[in-house]
Amino acid sequence: MSRPRIVIVGAGFAGYRTAQTLSRLARGRADITLLNPTDYFLYLPLLPQVAAGILEPRRVTVSLSGTLPHVKLVLGESDRIDLDARQVHYTGPEGEGGTLDYDRLVLAAGSVNKLLPIPGVAEHAHGFRGLPEALYLRDHVTRQVELATASDDPKRCAARCTFVVVGAGYTGTEVAAHGQLFTDAQVDKHPMRTGMRPRWLLLDIADRVLPELDERLSRTADTVLRERGVDVRMGTSVKEATHDGVLLTDGEFVDTHTLVWCVGVRPDPLAESLGLPLERGRLLVDAHLQVPGRPEVFACGDAAAVPDLEKPGSYTPMTAQHAWRQGKVCAHNIAASFGDGRRRAYRHKDMGFVVDLGGVKAAANPLGVNLSGVAAGAVTRGYHLAAMPGNRVRVAADWFLDAVLPRQAVQLGLVRSWSVPLDTASPELARVPARGRPAVTPPPGQPAPGPDVAPGPVRRTDRPTEGDS
């Protein structure tokens, strides 16, 4: 009898945990294939620290082949899934096509940046879902401070030192909190930057920061941000984005060259392409993470609408905590479908949340106990170290070095503005040219790319912010 073939699409929190657990349960009795655009698992919660220069990029990545030795890694992006033929069609990193046959399929493709029909946002904003976007923001912010230093025009200097973050959820709050500390560190004790004051704005249409969390955590985060100098504006968002700034819904125009879009996420478009029942773009599954009518297909993480057994009639939210737990249950249920063990329904217990606010500050409520200040900071960092499937020593070492040494505020210029469009199905990949592709005509106003870089296949029509070209 041939060994069962299991294909997992996506190596985020859900996909990685499924592969890890299933590899242990199968003990070599199944062929497990993991299809992913990159060869690493990305620990997203620490991405703001990469953008702020605290952690080096590789610290928040975990090698798939190094930690999943009994899982076959295939680099590529799924283009189409033929449910009747039980085949996954994909495109590799160098443009080559391929097909994977399966007996069981796990759709754990995750999510991408959420878009809203606001004029100019798709052209001028950048998201925060992958390493390329974090590296771009780190370079971009550093560059804006350096260009502001060299400018003799106070208005242009102020515009370059103004950074707008839209979305006061987990990501937006942490980006603004870390960003303010990062830019303040570049200005403080620098004789050529005396009088410069970086300005960070955090916008959201909600009535409070972190609206999805307990009000006490929200108040803690709001207090820390305001004391740090972040301009927190609730009930306000962007009405229009332009090359020179953003028009807010309250009528004010803010001169800025930086717009970070953190309004939320939407399921990967792959889920919608299957033609199966959806719930707001997420693939509907039962409590055992199986697709009704397709018992060989499982889905978990942000791409799946999983019934919340703790709140009948609702679905579990799109968070890393749920994705990680669902991946484990999914693996056990796949093993059970081959006669190894019994099926489990996904049921969760709220263990609390942590929000890193930079420095020694954080907001946390582990097991329902509300914490703030240094205690919350210690719990938050301890939680991240425990949750990471690798690189714990390296992360801890970077934290120690950041505490005793000044950060290296330099721009490497490896990721350009047009390489990280907001409207993309693959935020984990920077758009770069591929051999054999026809030349790409740059958007109006953008200089022609040199021989070593090109815009690549993106859907943007804007020109890069001054200083990016």
Side-chain angles (χ1 to χ4, degrees), residues 439-449 455 460-462:
V440 179
T441 302
Q446 179 173 324
R460 294 176 67 96
T461 58
D462 68 320

Side-chain angles (χ1 to χ4, degrees), residues 8 17 23 26-27 72 89 158 165 172 186 223 242 276 292 310 316 329 361 376 378 407 444 451:
I8 304 169
R17 188 72 184 280
S23 176
R27 295 187 293 274
K72 179 183 178 181
H89 299 272
V165 180
Q186 294 185 53
T223 299
T242 71
L276 295 172
E310 300 295 319
T316 57
V329 172
K361 300 295 183 66
R407 297 181 197 175

Side-chain angles (χ1 to χ4, degrees), residues 8-85:
I8 304 169
V9 179
F13 280 88
Y16 182 88
R17 188 72 184 280
T18 301
Q20 183 187 56
T21 306
L22 197 56
S23 176
R24 176 175 54 82
L25 295 174
R27 295 187 293 274
R29 294 174 296 174
D31 293 328
I32 306 171
T33 301
L34 182 59
L35 176 65
N36 198 58
T38 65
D39 64 351
Y40 59 80
F41 160 79
L42 174 64
Y43 190 74
L44 269 170
L46 292 181
L47 207 56
Q49 296 194 25
V50 173
I54 299 173
L55 296 176
E56 288 304 309
R58 290 183 181 177
R59 303 294 188 258
V60 299
T61 65
V62 176
S63 169
L64 296 178
S65 58
T67 56
L68 302 173
H70 302 294
V71 175
K72 179 183 178 181
L73 172 63
V74 175
L75 292 178
E77 297 181 85
S78 177
D79 304 318
R80 180 172 62 89
I81 297 177
D82 189 333
L83 297 175
D84 294 326

Side-chain angles (χ1 to χ4, degrees), residues 309-389:
L309 300 183
E310 300 295 319
K311 299 177 182 178
S314 62
Y315 300 94
T316 57
M318 298 165 68
T319 66
Q321 191 175 116
H322 280 293
W324 188 253
R325 296 174 180 178
Q326 288 169 10
K328 181 178 181 180
V329 172
C330 184
H332 279 280
N333 289 344
I334 291 174
S337 72
F338 291 114
D340 186 0
R342 296 192 306 172
R343 293 199 310 166
R344 306 179 181 182
Y346 177 69
R347 187 182 296 272
H348 70 93
K349 182 179 180 181
D350 187 0
M351 302 296 289
F353 299 91
V354 296
V355 182
D356 184 8
L357 300 175
V360 296
K361 300 295 183 66
N365 63 344
L367 301 177
V369 179
N370 289 286
L371 300 173
S372 61
V374 178
V379 168
T380 298
R381 292 201 167 183
Y383 169 81
H384 287 314
L385 284 181
M388 287 193 70

Side-chain angles (χ1 to χ4, degrees), residues 131-303:
L131 265 181
E133 292 168 323
L135 290 174
Y136 166 75
L137 182 60
R138 180 170 165 176
D139 271 6
H140 174 78
V141 169
T142 301
R143 179 166 54 252
Q144 295 309 306
V145 173
E146 291 170 347
L147 291 173
T149 305
S151 176
D152 295 325
D153 184 346
K155 185 177 180 180
R156 287 171 64 88
C157 177
R160 292 197 181 280
C161 285
T162 299
F163 309 94
V164 179
V165 180
V166 185
Y170 290 104
T171 303
T173 298
E174 292 188 343
V175 168
H178 281 282
Q180 185 74 63
L181 289 179
F182 183 46
T183 52
D184 282 352
Q186 294 185 53
V187 171
D188 291 345
K189 300 179 181 179
H190 194 299
M192 297 295 292
R193 296 171 182 171
T194 302
M196 287 176 56
R197 177 58 180 167
R199 177 191 181 199
W200 284 77
L201 279 77
L202 179 61
L203 314 175
D204 202 302
I205 58 173
D207 59 357
R208 61 186 176 91
V209 173
L210 300 171
E212 64 272 30
L213 297 188
D214 181 272
E215 288 192 22
R216 284 171 290 188
L217 294 181
S218 177
R219 286 196 299 270
T220 297
D222 187 272
T223 299
V224 171
L225 291 171
R226 293 180 188 275
E227 288 179 347
R228 199 169 285 169
V230 177
D231 188 352
V232 180
R233 300 193 187 186
M234 296 295 96
T236 306
S237 190
V238 172
K239 185 176 182 180
E240 181 180 1
T242 71
H243 177 63
D244 300 313
V246 293
L247 176 64
L248 306 185
T249 52
D250 61 8
E252 180 184 352
F253 187 85
V254 178
D255 295 316
T256 181
H257 294 280
T258 309
L259 179 59
V260 188
W261 195 252
C262 302
V263 298
V265 295
R266 57 191 171 100
D268 190 289
L270 181 63
E272 188 175 359
S273 71
L274 297 178
L276 295 172
L278 301 173
E279 168 62 29
R280 296 186 179 182
R282 303 162 73 187
L283 196 61
L284 276 171
V285 298
D286 59 24
H288 299 95
L289 307 178
Q290 286 179 283
V291 175
R294 293 281 182 178
E296 77 281 4
V297 180
F298 295 75
C300 50
D302 289 354

